[in-house]
């Protein structure tokens, strides 16, 4: 005899008898005075509770928020294509969590609420730590800018206990989650509005987004095609990030780098001991040196109030130097860093980054709970640990390039002595646990000493491994952080070097390592203050018969991140 049907056509008799095999997905609640039956199913592409008809969207929307907010925050420094892996992982994680919880609870409303709580725990715990660090523990941060481990441990426990209590309460509570689901759907959609508007406004107004500035990268004056005089020589442009001049290292760390600089001179390098960078910061510095020009043209095209760094990134990617050398028959090897602007180059014949992670994804992962949980059990964070591997892999790659039969141009961006500090002076890889017990100065000098040994090893390999002596530039894109800038970085304190910096601090920040190996010529234009903007002008004049003017050596900073092209001349401060 057929059972009685409710208004939705469900067999109430079968449900009351516990015959779940007749109604897939039903859950039945019975009591002395009420009888409730719910059906959960996939309908019209959304998971919903049939009793309320409310679809569960909030875990997926909230999973979209972290990468969207990060992209909106860094849109002036990011290409959209570099964010795709972050979006995929974030949304995929949210979907996986919801799917597992749905299988456990068989209740999309409850599964969605627990999933949202877990997503908040996973993706926002790092932001909680950053808030605690900046607000309550600014004077107790480690050399890596982290909370003391005891604070991390207790904050993790409190956060975890709170999450556990919430889940237990939710599982114990018997109620309709339809109204709460509606609220969470609205709230999770609302939080996406601000970053979405930020991105839309930027894409609609930024003149440099998605390409270069209006007129493209400023071209250097001189010949537009190169032809080597005599047998072509391999060219190596090796950037060691934040490697300061002898004076800067002496002033900041009391370290005399004279012995290393003498070793370079003994090998035939011209060491420009009074050299300064042309620009504060890697974006502007590399855009300038790789295009052999100052950036005044970008100020006119982008305006002084633009914070869009993408035209600078495009200039680094589509730079004049690689274009001219490739046009002259050179094979372009690009040895990138973890910084997204130099990680890969689409124009290179060979890209090698030592498995450098996507920078956007790395930052996204560093703001969630995974790194903190890993530190809790002394598990080394892979992206930091792998810096040792990447640096050593680049060294081996340079050795291989030197023995190749074709004529090569190699650009290598090596984040040394730049933090994170992962090398001891003898080249041993440090764990993060070891590094945080040391001072910034101790870590920096240890990594600097290793860098010096590494440079000399590279130089010897490149010279000895080549049939024709190569052209080598060993240069920093910027100098080290002055003490107040280090404190601002570590302790989350506001400090604007452009407005508050002293002449001494500017000399420390702008003073750079700059050494050129130019065999077989008496290079005109070399001088103690020669700066990166002139490096390839000299090389192209001497070895390719070009006629570039040697530009005055000047130094600039920019006002702040929102005014990337409002350049301030600091030349007189760094004399």
């Amino acid at each position: 005899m057929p059972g009685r049907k409710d208004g939705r056509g469900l067999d109430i008799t079968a449900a009351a008898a516990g015959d779940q095999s007749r109604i897939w997905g039903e859950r039945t609640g019975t009591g002395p005075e009420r009888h409730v039956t719910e059906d959960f199913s996939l309908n019209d592409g959304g998971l919903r509770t049939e009793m309320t008809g409310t679809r569960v969207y909030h875990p997926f929307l909230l999973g979209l928020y972290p990468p969207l907010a990060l992209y909106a925050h860094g849109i002036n420094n990011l290409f959209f294509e570099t964010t795709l892996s972050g979006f995929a992982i974030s949304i995929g994680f949210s979907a996986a969590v919801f799917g597992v919880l749905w299988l456990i609870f068989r209740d999309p409303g409850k599964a969605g609420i627990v999933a949202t709580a877990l997503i908040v725990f996973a993706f926002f715990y790092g932001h909680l730590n950053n808030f605690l660090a900046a607000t309550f523990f600014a004077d107790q941060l480690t050399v890596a800018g982290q909370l003391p481990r005891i604070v991390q441990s207790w904050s993790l426990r409190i956060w975890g206990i709170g999450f556990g209590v919430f889940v237990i309460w939710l599982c114990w509570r018997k109620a309709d989650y339809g109204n709460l689901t509606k609220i969470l759907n609205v709230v999770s959609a609302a939080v996406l509005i601000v970053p979405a508007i930020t991105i839309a406004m930027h894409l609609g107004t930024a003149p440099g987004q998605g390409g270069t500035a209006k007129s493209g990268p400023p071209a250097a004056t001189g010949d537009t095609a190169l032809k080597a005089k005599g047998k072509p020589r391999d060219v190596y442009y090796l950037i060691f990030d934040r490697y300061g001049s002898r004076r800067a290292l002496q002033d900041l760390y009391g370290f005399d780098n004279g012995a290393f600089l003498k070793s370079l001179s003994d090998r035939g390098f011209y060491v420009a001991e009074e050299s300064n960078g042309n620009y504060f910061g890697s974006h502007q510095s590399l855009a300038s040196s790789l295009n052999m020009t100052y950036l005044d043209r970008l100020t006119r095209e982008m305006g002084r109030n633009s914070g869009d760094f993408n035209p600078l990134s495009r200039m680094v990617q589509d730079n004049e130097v690689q274009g001219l050398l490739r046009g002259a028959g050179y094979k372009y090897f690009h040895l990138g860093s973890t910084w997204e602007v130099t990680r890969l180059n689409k124009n290179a014949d060979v890209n090698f980054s030592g498995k450098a992670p996507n920078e956007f994804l790395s930052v996204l992962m560093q703001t969630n709970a995974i790194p903190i949980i890993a530190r809790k059990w002394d598990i080394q964070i892979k992206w930091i640990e792998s810096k040792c591997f990447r640096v050593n892999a680049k060294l081996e790659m340079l050795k291989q390039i030197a023995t190749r039969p074709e004529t090569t141009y190699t650009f290598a961006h090596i984040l040394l002595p730049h933090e994170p500090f992962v090398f001891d002076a003898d080249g041993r890889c440090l764990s993060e646990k070891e590094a945080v017990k040391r001072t910034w100065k101790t870590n920096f000098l240890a990594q600097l000493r290793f860098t010096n040994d590494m440079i000399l090893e590279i130089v010897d390999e490149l010279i000895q491994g080549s049939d024709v002596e190569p052209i080598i530039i060993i240069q920093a894109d910027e100098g080290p952080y002055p003490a107040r800038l280090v404190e601002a970085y570590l302790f989350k304190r506001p400090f604007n070097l452009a407005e508050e910096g002293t002449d001494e601090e500017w000399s420390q920040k702008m003073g750079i390592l700059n050494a050129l190996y130019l065999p077989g010529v008496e290079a005109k234009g070399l001088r103690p203050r020669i700066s990166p903007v002139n490096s390839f002008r000299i090389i192209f004049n001497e070895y390719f018969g070009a006629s570039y003017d040697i530009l005055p050596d000047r130094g600039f900073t920019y006002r702040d991140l929102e005014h990337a092209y409002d350049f301030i001349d600091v030349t007189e401060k760094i004399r």
Side-chain angles (χ1 to χ4, degrees):
M1 179 176 180
R4 292 182 295 113
K5 306 286 185 178
D6 71 355
R8 297 170 297 160
L10 294 178
D11 192 332
I12 299 176
T13 305
D19 186 3
Q20 296 299 312
S21 63
R22 295 184 59 187
I23 314 170
W24 181 85
E26 285 187 46
R27 299 192 62 183
T28 304
T30 60
E33 305 199 27
R34 68 188 182 93
H35 192 114
V36 180
T37 303
E38 300 177 40
D39 175 43
F40 309 107
S41 61
L42 284 166
N43 186 31
D44 298 331
L47 213 68
R48 65 186 177 90
T49 302
E50 285 289 347
M51 188 174 71
T52 62
T54 303
R55 291 185 175 88
V56 179
Y57 294 123
H58 52 87
F60 308 98
L61 294 174
L62 201 62
L64 183 62
Y65 177 77
L68 191 71
L70 183 60
Y71 179 46
H73 178 72
I75 194 168
N76 287 328
N77 296 279
L78 292 168
F79 300 136
F80 177 72
E81 55 268 26
T82 66
T83 70
L84 296 178
S85 59
F87 278 98
I89 289 175
S90 184
I91 296 172
F93 173 80
S94 302
V97 168
F98 178 81
V100 170
L101 291 171
W102 185 86
L103 291 174
I104 293 172
F105 294 121
R106 286 292 181 176
D107 182 334
K110 184 180 290 186
I113 294 168
V114 176
T116 290
L118 186 58
I119 291 165
V120 169
F121 171 79
F123 283 114
F124 294 89
Y125 178 69
H127 293 289
L128 171 66
N129 265 17
N130 290 339
F131 171 76
L132 292 174
T135 308
F136 301 108
F137 299 97
D139 295 326
Q140 301 178 42
L141 301 184
T142 68
V143 70
Q146 300 163 2
L147 285 168
R149 287 198 168 212
I150 184 65
V151 179
Q152 287 189 20
S153 178
W154 277 105
S155 66
L156 181 63
R157 290 175 188 174
I158 293 170
W159 190 270
I161 290 171
F163 173 73
V165 168
F166 173 76
V167 171
I168 293 171
W169 171 81
L170 193 68
C171 292
W172 170 80
R173 184 172 180 265
K174 295 188 181 299
D176 171 28
Y177 301 106
N179 290 333
L180 183 55
T181 297
K182 289 179 182 178
I183 293 171
L184 290 175
N185 283 344
V186 172
V187 170
S188 57
V191 299
L192 299 179
I193 293 175
V194 172
I197 290 176
T198 300
I199 293 168
M201 290 178 63
H202 180 86
L203 295 178
T205 61
Q209 178 65 22
T212 61
K214 297 172 187 175
S215 302
T221 58
D223 298 340
T224 56
L226 298 178
K227 184 176 181 180
K229 297 191 300 184
K231 191 169 184 180
R233 301 175 185 268
D234 292 340
V235 178
Y236 296 91
Y237 189 25
L238 310 182
I239 297 293
F240 288 87
D241 210 304
R242 291 192 189 155
Y243 195 124
S245 65
R246 182 176 183 178
R247 175 184 170 185
L249 295 175
Q250 182 69 56
D251 290 349
L252 275 171
Y253 299 109
F255 180 78
D256 186 357
N257 206 29
F260 167 69
L261 299 180
K262 184 177 184 303
S263 294
L264 287 177
S265 295
D266 291 343
R267 286 165 168 79
F269 278 81
Y270 179 84
V271 179
E273 288 205 30
E274 298 177 28
S275 182
N276 292 293
N278 297 114
Y279 287 90
F280 173 95
S282 298
H283 259 110
Q284 286 87 347
S285 176
L286 290 177
S288 172
S289 64
L290 286 168
N291 290 283
M292 304 178 291
T293 188
Y294 288 105
L295 305 177
D296 312 64
R297 185 171 174 179
L298 280 183
T299 302
R300 295 191 295 271
E301 294 180 350
M302 299 298 295
R304 294 184 180 275
N305 295 324
S306 174
D308 184 2
F309 281 71
N310 281 299
L312 293 165
S313 299
R314 299 291 183 191
M315 284 182 66
V316 175
Q317 284 281 310
D318 300 321
N319 66 80
E320 185 101 346
V321 168
Q322 61 84 21
L324 289 172
L325 287 172
R326 287 174 61 232
Y330 278 69
K331 187 169 185 177
Y332 174 20
F333 287 79
H334 183 90
L335 279 57
S337 70
T338 54
W339 183 41
E340 200 61 39
V341 178
T342 60
R343 188 170 69 94
L344 301 171
N345 191 295
K346 64 182 181 182
N347 299 300
D349 296 293
V350 178
N351 272 292
F352 180 84
S353 60
K355 299 181 180 179
N358 178 299
E359 186 182 29
F360 180 84
L361 183 58
S362 295
V363 173
L364 183 66
M365 294 301 292
Q366 289 303 304
T367 57
N368 66 37
I370 294 174
I372 291 89
I373 294 173
R375 294 185 191 108
K376 166 75 175 168
W377 284 279
D378 294 326
I379 300 171
Q380 185 67 14
I381 308 303
K382 191 66 178 176
W383 75 273
I384 294 177
E385 182 185 45
S386 62
K387 180 175 179 178
C388 285
F389 164 78
R390 291 194 301 274
V391 168
N392 289 314
K394 285 179 186 177
L395 176 59
E396 292 304 313
M397 186 65 175
L398 284 167
K399 293 177 183 178
Q400 294 176 27
I401 294 172
T403 62
R404 294 183 69 97
E406 63 265 59
T407 307
T408 62
Y409 163 60
T410 301
F411 171 86
H413 188 192
I414 301 171
L415 297 183
L416 291 175
H418 192 295
E419 74 282 347
F421 301 120
V422 299
F423 286 104
D424 209 349
D426 60 2
R428 180 178 64 88
C429 292
L430 292 175
S431 69
E432 188 178 9
K433 186 176 180 180
E434 289 179 281
V436 297
K437 292 179 180 178
R438 302 179 175 189
T439 64
W440 179 281
K441 177 180 177 180
T442 299
N443 279 319
F444 182 88
L445 290 180
Q447 194 147 283
L448 177 69
R449 290 187 174 96
F450 165 71
T451 304
N452 286 350
D453 291 341
M454 177 187 176
I455 290 174
L456 295 178
E457 181 180 352
I458 290 173
V459 165
D460 291 341
E461 290 285 347
L462 295 183
I463 295 175
Q464 295 169 13
S466 303
D467 293 334
V468 179
E469 285 188 291
I471 300 164
I472 306 173
I473 305 173
I474 297 174
Q475 198 172 85
D477 56 340
E478 58 176 330
Y481 275 6
R484 288 200 293 170
L485 207 53
V486 170
E487 291 177 1
Y489 168 75
L490 290 180
F491 304 135
K492 321 296 183 187
R493 295 171 182 163
F495 176 67
N496 188 324
L497 190 64
E499 296 178 356
E500 305 172 52
T502 65
D503 289 4
E504 181 182 21
E505 287 172 323
W506 275 113
S507 293
Q508 294 165 354
K509 186 69 186 79
M510 299 295 283
I512 61 168
L513 171 67
N514 192 7
L516 298 90
Y517 186 73
L518 307 176
V521 299
E522 293 293 331
K524 299 175 182 178
L526 289 179
R527 50 187 182 253
R529 293 186 184 276
I530 195 71
S531 60
V533 72
N534 284 310
S535 297
F536 279 99
R537 286 174 173 262
I538 291 172
I539 289 169
F540 290 160
N541 288 351
E542 295 295 335
Y543 293 97
F544 295 89
S547 55
Y548 287 94
D549 294 331
I550 304 303
L551 303 177
D553 298 308
R554 306 193 66 80
F556 298 88
T557 186
Y558 54 96
R559 189 171 10 143
D560 52 42
L561 293 175
E562 302 303 318
H563 302 85
Y565 307 99
D566 187 5
F567 296 123
I568 302 168
D569 194 329
V570 295
T571 306
E572 296 306 315
K573 294 178 180 288
I574 58 180
R575 291 295 187 190

